[in-house]
């Protein structure tokens, strides 16, 4: 609210304007002597209290305004910078009592980190072949059986691979599908056996890792993968097969020379160990990774796995 600037003025009857002719020009400014004028003394207690209240009100308003601005910035500008799913951010190591650990790339992204050590070009076991390879048990029509595992043969897998000898697997049988020339996609089944000299059966995970590594480096595919193959799409985890606990190790290996074959340059290598009622059995395979039908049929084979006795 604005006060009327003319209230209280003295005016002469004739002109209606204030008459300042009898006043000392210094009296209004307070700079001259106090004769006939008003002397401005020290402000009273009420005036000082009113001034202090006004100052405190101004300061308080400023604090409130700053708090509001900070709140708005924290919910807009700062929040967008610190957004958890910022595409430019990367997961790092956990904080510890001694400070933040070194940068840890996301192991799920093969472009940011090398594969875990289990996906190595050299086995971490002796890859021992059984002294007695055994004979595959009879299978139901349209199936392949090795050890206590059986799968349904896809219609296009028309090449009887037959019995073979693989590290830590006996009673092996397999079926294949031609990729080109003498290169085939193959899925083997067999019973898991482990020498006492190596400590006996090491359990689901370690057995699956060893069979995976040995198959990728001793079954002939290593000549194509080379000594330092590129590895992607890797996994090592517990699964269930026909209601039984199992462990799968799987990865895609790329050929050292991509021109060595005309229609493929990579293979999906898979090892699965299943705990059956009569002991563990396993699947070991390599399938053309860039042949969608072959990859889908591998998934169908795994889905059809049965534990038989």
């Amino acid at each position: 609210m604005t006060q009327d600037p003319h209230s209280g003025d003295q005016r002469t009857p004739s002109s209606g304007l204030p008459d300042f002719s009898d006043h000392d020009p210094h009296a209004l400014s307070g700079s001259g002597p106090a004769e006939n004028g008003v002397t401005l003394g020290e402000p009273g207690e009420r005036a000082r209290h009113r001034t202090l209240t006004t100052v405190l009100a101004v300061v308080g308003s400023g604090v409130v305004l700053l708090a509001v601005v900070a709140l708005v910035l924290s919910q807009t500008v700062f929040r967008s910078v610190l957004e958890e799913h910022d595409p430019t951010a990367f997961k790092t190591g956990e904080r510890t009592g001694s400070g933040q650990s070194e940068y840890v790339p996301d192991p799920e992204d093969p472009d940011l980190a090398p594969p875990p050590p289990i996906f190595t070009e050299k086995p971490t076991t002796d890859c021992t072949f059984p002294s007695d390879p055994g004979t595959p048990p009879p299978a139901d029509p349209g199936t392949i059986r090795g050890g206590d595992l059986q799968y349904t043969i896809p219609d296009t897998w028309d090449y009887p691979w037959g019995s073979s000898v693989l590290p830590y697997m006996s009673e092996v049988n397999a079926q294949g599908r031609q990729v080109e020339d003498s290169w085939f996609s193959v899925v083997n089944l067999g019973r898991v056996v482990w020498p006492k000299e190596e400590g006996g059966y090491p359990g689901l995970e370690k057995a699956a890792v060893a069979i995976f590594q040995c198959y990728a480096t001793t079954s002939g595919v290593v000549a194509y993968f080379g000594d330092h193959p590129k590895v992607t799409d890797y996994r090592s985890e517990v699964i269930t097969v026909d209601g039984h606990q199992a462990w799968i190790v799987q990865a895609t290996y790329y050929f050292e020379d991509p021109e060595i074959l005309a229609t493929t340059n990579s293979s999906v290598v898979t090892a699965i160990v299943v705990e059956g009622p009569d002991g563990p059995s396993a699947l070991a395979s390599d399938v053309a990774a860039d042949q969608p039908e072959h990859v889908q049929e591998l998934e169908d084979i795994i889905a059809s796995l049965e534990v038989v006795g």
Side-chain angles (χ1 to χ4, degrees):
M1 173 178 280
T2 303
Q3 184 178 4
D4 181 0
H6 299 294
S7 59
D9 287 346
Q10 295 181 356
R11 305 174 187 273
T12 59
S14 59
S15 66
L17 298 175
D19 183 5
F20 297 111
S21 58
D22 296 331
H23 290 274
D24 184 347
H26 299 288
L28 290 178
S29 66
S31 58
E35 299 176 4
N36 300 324
V38 179
T39 302
L40 298 179
E42 293 294 327
E45 184 65 27
R46 178 177 298 180
R48 284 197 299 269
H49 180 73
R50 184 181 299 116
T51 301
L52 179 60
T53 301
T54 301
V55 171
L56 292 177
V58 171
V59 173
S61 299
V63 172
V64 171
L65 180 60
L66 288 175
V68 171
V69 171
L71 179 61
V72 171
L73 290 175
S74 67
Q75 297 299 314
T76 55
V77 177
F78 298 154
R79 184 170 183 173
S80 64
V81 172
L82 301 176
E83 184 66 38
E84 181 179 358
H85 301 294
D86 185 349
T88 62
F90 297 97
K91 185 184 298 183
T92 58
E94 299 294 332
R95 293 184 180 276
T96 65
S98 59
Q100 185 172 354
S101 62
E102 64 181 9
Y103 168 70
V104 179
D106 182 0
E108 300 299 326
D109 189 342
D111 293 331
L112 295 180
I118 66 171
F119 300 97
T120 177
E121 65 272 9
K122 294 183 179 180
T124 54
T125 61
D126 293 333
C127 292
T128 304
F129 289 85
S131 57
D132 180 10
T135 301
D140 295 336
T143 67
I144 284 292
R145 178 175 174 179
D148 291 336
L149 281 180
Q150 179 174 278
Y151 69 75
T152 301
I153 303 173
D155 294 338
T156 53
W157 288 56
D158 54 3
Y159 190 87
W161 196 260
S163 181
S164 61
V165 180
L166 295 175
Y168 304 116
M169 293 174 64
S170 65
E171 303 177 15
V172 175
N173 202 1
Q175 192 79 0
R177 178 179 177 178
Q178 186 180 30
V179 180
E180 64 174 271
D181 298 330
S182 60
W183 190 258
F184 290 76
S185 292
V186 180
V187 178
N188 302 269
L189 296 179
R191 186 177 304 280
V192 175
V193 292
W194 227 270
K196 293 181 179 179
E197 296 78 14
E198 296 182 32
Y201 174 63
L204 276 175
E205 180 180 2
K206 291 183 178 179
V209 169
I211 290 173
F212 173 90
Q213 293 176 340
C214 294
Y215 188 82
T217 58
T218 61
S219 65
V221 294
V222 67
Y224 290 74
F225 296 157
D227 292 333
H228 301 284
K230 176 183 177 182
V231 181
T232 63
D233 301 325
Y234 40 79
R235 58 188 293 211
S236 179
E237 59 190 355
V238 65
I239 61 172
T240 301
V241 171
D242 194 22
H244 297 263
Q245 191 174 35
W247 196 280
I248 184 172
V249 181
Q250 188 176 63
T252 298
Y253 280 66
Y254 291 80
F255 299 164
E256 186 174 39
D257 179 3
E259 306 298 329
I260 196 168
L261 293 174
T263 60
T264 182
N265 64 8
S266 57
S267 288
V268 179
V269 179
T270 307
I272 302 175
V273 175
V274 184
E275 294 279 15
D278 298 322
S281 293
L283 174 152
S285 74
D286 62 292
V287 172
D290 41 13
Q291 299 284 338
E293 289 185 0
H294 290 232
V295 175
Q296 181 58 56
E297 286 159 349
L298 169 64
E299 294 178 1
D300 295 340
I301 287 173
I302 293 175
S304 73
L305 280 173
E306 296 178 276
V307 177
V308 293

